[in-house]
Amino acid sequence: MEELSAIVLAAGEGKRMRSNQPKVLHQVCGKALVEWVCDAAFEAGIQKCITVVGHKAEEVMAYMGQKVQFALQKEQLGTGHAVMQAQPLIKDAQGYVIILCGDTPLIKGSTVKKALDYHISSGNAATVITTELEDATGYGRIIRDASGQVKKIVEHRDTNEQEKAVREINSGIYCFTVKHLLDALNQLNNHNSQGEYYLTDTIEILIAEQFKVGALKIDDSTELLGINNRIQLSQAEAIMQKNIVNKHMENGVTIMAPATTLIHSNVEIGGDTIIYPGCIIEGDTKIQENCMIGPNSRIINSIVEDNVEIQYSVVVDSYVGRDTHIGPFAYLRPGSKIGKEVKIGDFVEVKNAVIGDKSKVSHLTYIGDAEVGKNVNMGCGTVVVNYDGQKKHKTIIGDNAFVGCNTNLVSPVVVNENAYIAAGSTITDEVPKDSLAIARQRQIIKQDWVKKRRGLND
Ligand code: UD1
Ligand code: CA
């Protein structure tokens, strides 16, 4: 089989983004623009993906990691020049190459495949992927001759009045037969309004050499949206978001108000889960079946088992066991591992702590760096005092313990199983199992103290 390669152009600064971050690292639905494009290439069965990096190359390379190969474009002298930098990596390749822009994140794997299949079966030297737009401002125009054959591509800046009126645009995606691409690159020059080496000129060059050049027009122009500024970034986010939310609804998830719901691309959600309005579900979150999420909750990189309810809460890098209730207004910080049938109630914060099955932490409590056993009751206003100003320490609470309201557990401390702690205690020493700890002063009653005081004042 012929080798299929992709070259993804990602060296530009993206001036129109007005950002310190390279354009291709801006994200849509939790994934950088360039990663969407490379993933589409892999989905289409491409074996080798070469990413051309330049502006802030180290950042782009660090983000993409081992997934792709890199070619460095030290100076950004245009899209044609960018492809030249990848030449050494494709020089020996027999077969075909698809060139993609790192700023068109909505391109689908199926479309990449369709473009390559079309290119190969039509025997073209080059095939440009085009679409028609209502407003073609900013895009290169496809200029065809009287018989409808593609003649050349003219950049928006370089168009005359007649060309400006053309609505068929260059998507920035092209398929080439490798040897023809290499031939055309050798002949590129920078004689244009920008003084750049335009990849688009390869089309005219190959036509002049009598090679067959074609175009594949795609009906769904949204897939080809190029991101040059933050307005287009938000348009891409909205389109992608709609696709993601629709996919979950097709899979049996109820999403009450799709327009208010943000779900990242890697998120998995089980059937019959209901997402209430205003939820943001990010990263590698996995939510199982029959859950009720929201309203207004944010869940990041977490696992949520069956039948869980999470209301008005934030859950980050955590695990929530089945049949557990979280919130309203709870905050599960990284490293929280909440068991089955647990209740984490209002204004409770948990950090790097295990809460055993069937335990209840119902209100106004902080649990940090702790191991709480099964069936424990943490009273209202309990604080695990995990930080001594220099170091964090750990507290352990055994199964069936009962911690009275407004207790401080000064870490490191152990409360053994079945122990009781009287309300208002500040616990600094180990509490043996089955015993009661009271760590506060006895109440004193001063009979008629108020009356006497009044008498003095009278
Ligand atoms: C380009 C096309 C235009 C097409 C449009 C589609 C050219 C000359 N123009 O214009 O016909 O309609 O895409 O979106 O090709 N890049 C580099 N190195 C460079 C310059 C750019 O790697 O020296 C990369 C950018 O990072 C970007 C991509 O190439 O990912 C496209 O560059 P951009 O400047 O956005 O080109 P457009 O002006 O949009
Ligand atoms: Ca662009």
Side-chain angles (χ1 to χ4, degrees), residues 175-295:
C175 298
F176 285 94
T177 302
V178 169
K179 59 175 188 282
H180 293 308
L181 172 65
L182 299 179
D183 167 37
L185 288 177
N186 277 331
Q187 301 179 53
L188 276 189
N189 64 49
N190 60 355
H191 305 153
N192 51 56
S193 66
Q194 296 254 86
E196 285 188 354
Y197 294 88
Y198 288 169
L199 182 60
T200 44
D201 290 347
T202 54
I203 300 299
E204 222 178 329
I205 291 169
L206 290 173
I207 292 171
E209 292 191 309
Q210 312 280 313
F211 289 113
K212 196 173 164 216
V213 172
L216 175 67
K217 202 195 273 182
I218 304 282
D219 294 332
D220 181 9
S221 59
T222 52
E223 254 190 76
L224 303 174
L225 176 70
I227 311 298
N228 294 324
N229 58 45
R230 309 242 186 184
I231 294 166
Q232 289 166 328
L233 185 70
S234 77
Q235 286 164 349
E237 177 86 29
I239 293 166
M240 188 77 84
Q241 207 36 255
K242 206 167 170 187
N243 292 344
I244 292 174
V245 161
N246 285 349
K247 180 193 78 185
H248 289 294
M249 292 196 283
E250 276 162 14
N251 288 344
V253 179
T254 294
I255 297 179
M256 284 179 162
T260 71
T261 308
L262 285 179
I263 303 178
H264 277 181
S265 59
N266 284 346
V267 170
E268 291 173 36
I269 307 178
D272 284 324
T273 283
I274 301 177
I275 312 288
Y276 282 70
C279 289
I280 305 168
I281 308 174
E282 298 177 48
D284 293 322
T285 293
K286 197 167 172 177
I287 297 171
Q288 297 288 5
E289 297 182 1
N290 273 312
C291 295
M292 280 165 66
I293 307 294

Side-chain angles (χ1 to χ4, degrees), residues 409-426:
L409 297 157
V410 182
S411 304
V413 75
V414 177
V415 176
N416 287 288
E417 58 198 62
N418 302 324
Y420 258 62
I421 294 173
S425 293
T426 292

